[in-house]
Amino acid sequence: MLFLTCGLSGQNFDNIGIDDIPNLNEDETKLLNSLLDEKRDDFDFKGKKVAFLTGSSGRTITAKSDYFKNSVIPWIDDGSRPQISMIRLTKEEKEKSGGYDVLVLSWVKALTRRGQRKIIEELGQENK
């Protein structure tokens, strides 16, 4: 982990969180693949549609730009590792959510199954 953090601390974040399009750009893809390397198995963020969640219960959907600006970059700049995790959506959940592939969570204590269903429904409503 120390190696990863050291490698990221010198990274240029000019292209990270520059818009709120749920599909990631190349630099965002590389950063999330790196930060979640141990948690993502064979999942690759390239070309994926991502929803960003925060809050202790994980019920706050946040804009991509805010997510990186407030939940990721400050910790990397300080030489720390941000608290970040992910939930891959099933095919059915992807359809219900309006095409999202994955939920990326930061500083979430507990996202219940019920809470996850509500988030998926909310994302689906936003995409109609």
Side-chain angles (χ1 to χ4, degrees), residues 26-41:
E26 185 177 342
D27 291 336
E28 294 161 345
T29 297
K30 287 178 184 177
L31 180 59
L32 288 180
N33 276 339
S34 178
L35 289 172
L36 292 163
D37 188 51
E38 296 176 7
K39 299 176 183 176
R40 63 184 176 86
D41 296 320

Side-chain angles (χ1 to χ4, degrees), residues 11-66:
Q11 187 170 344
N12 181 345
F13 296 114
D14 289 346
N15 290 324
I16 304 290
I18 59 172
D19 60 44
D20 291 324
I21 299 168
N23 295 83
L24 304 176
N25 67 37
E26 185 177 342
D27 291 336
E28 294 161 345
T29 297
K30 287 178 184 177
L31 180 59
L32 288 180
N33 276 339
S34 178
L35 289 172
L36 292 163
D37 188 51
E38 296 176 7
K39 299 176 183 176
R40 63 184 176 86
D41 296 320
D42 64 344
F43 185 85
D44 186 348
F45 280 93
K46 184 176 183 177
K48 300 299 190 277
K49 189 174 182 181
V50 180
F52 296 94
L53 307 179
T54 61
S56 61
S57 65
R59 296 291 316 279
T60 303
I61 300 171
T62 188
K64 179 174 70 172
S65 59
D66 290 337

Side-chain angles (χ1 to χ4, degrees), residues 72-85:
V72 176
I73 294 172
W75 277 263
I76 294 171
D77 283 345
D78 277 349
S80 301
R81 185 177 184 93
Q83 194 285 327
I84 182 173
S85 61

Side-chain angles (χ1 to χ4, degrees), residues 1 72 87 125 127:
M1 262 202 261
V72 176
I87 298 173
Q125 292 298 319
N127 286 295

